[in-house]
């Protein structure tokens, strides 16, 4: 699961960012993996103290095998947002693509390159889940400012 934090100025520039992924061991039980996600995400929230959170809305899923684990992890995220009193907003992948590139059909690579450009990074953020999280954060900034 990726996470990305941006600090946006009132002028629309992004001052700083942090990103990464929360990974779990496939050798552990589902419950243990969800506990890891809970613990690690709570640590990120406690460390960085974000003002708001934005997450991906699941409205269509291509792979039925991963739908349940993704939904379970999403439940942990929503639980933590409520626990920490973090206002949260949800965006579909198409909304993120539209906000980042102006096209709802942008490729993953186009999104990653735009994230790197907007955040003034010297490299495209990796892994993909972290780059996606940063894109969702930037998308929220644009939506909260009325695009």
């Amino acid at each position: 699961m990726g996470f990305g934090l941006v600090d946006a100025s009132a002028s629309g520039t992004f001052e700083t960012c942090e990103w990464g992924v929360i990974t779990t061991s496939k050798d552990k039980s589902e419950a243990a993996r969800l506990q890891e996600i809970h613990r690690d995400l709570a640590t990120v929230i406690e460390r960085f103290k974000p003002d708001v959170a934005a997450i991906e809305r699941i409205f269509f899923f291509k792979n039925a095998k991963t739908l349940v684990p993704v939904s379970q992890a999403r439940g942990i995220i929503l639980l933590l947002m409520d626990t920490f009193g973090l206002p949260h907003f949800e965006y579909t992948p198409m909304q993120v693509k539209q906000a980042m590139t102006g096209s709802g059909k942008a490729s993953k690579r186009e999104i990653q390159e735009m994230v790197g450009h907007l955040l003034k990074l010297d490299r495209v953020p990796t892994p993909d889940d972290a780059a996606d999280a940063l894109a969702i954060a930037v998308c929220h900034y644009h939506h909260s400012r009325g695009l």
Side-chain angles (χ1 to χ4, degrees):
M1 180 182 79
F3 66 89
L5 297 113
V6 298
D7 186 6
S9 71
S11 66
T13 60
F14 298 95
E15 303 294 328
T16 60
C17 63
E18 179 75 29
W19 70 88
V21 291
I22 294 172
T23 59
T24 61
S25 171
K26 292 184 181 189
D27 298 334
K28 292 187 177 183
S29 70
E30 285 182 26
R33 294 175 77 182
L34 292 171
Q35 285 179 346
E36 274 187 78
I37 291 169
H38 184 277
R39 182 194 65 235
D40 292 352
L41 184 55
T43 299
V44 169
I45 294 169
E46 289 167 345
R47 178 176 173 203
F48 293 102
K49 299 180 180 18
D51 297 323
V52 65
I55 62 175
E56 184 174 355
R57 176 181 295 277
I58 300 172
F59 72 99
F60 174 76
F61 221 79
K62 294 177 186 173
N63 186 346
K65 286 184 178 183
T66 58
L67 178 60
V68 171
V70 168
S71 296
Q72 289 172 332
R74 190 173 183 284
I76 296 296
I77 295 166
L78 293 173
L79 172 69
L80 283 167
M81 298 305 106
D82 188 63
T83 299
F84 282 94
L86 265 175
H88 62 277
F89 301 85
E90 299 180 43
Y91 300 96
T92 65
M94 184 174 282
Q95 287 175 302
V96 174
K97 291 174 182 184
Q98 184 74 34
M100 294 299 296
T101 67
S103 170
K105 297 186 185 279
S107 71
K108 187 167 282 289
R109 183 68 186 171
E110 289 171 312
I111 299 300
Q112 291 170 334
E113 288 174 2
M114 186 57 76
V115 166
H117 172 73
L118 290 173
L119 299 178
K120 299 178 182 73
L121 303 174
D122 55 358
R123 61 185 167 86
V124 171
T126 58
D128 289 354
D129 290 339
D132 291 348
L134 288 169
I136 293 166
V138 172
C139 172
H140 173 68
Y141 175 81
H142 289 300
H143 277 269
S144 68
R145 300 292 185 260
L147 283 175

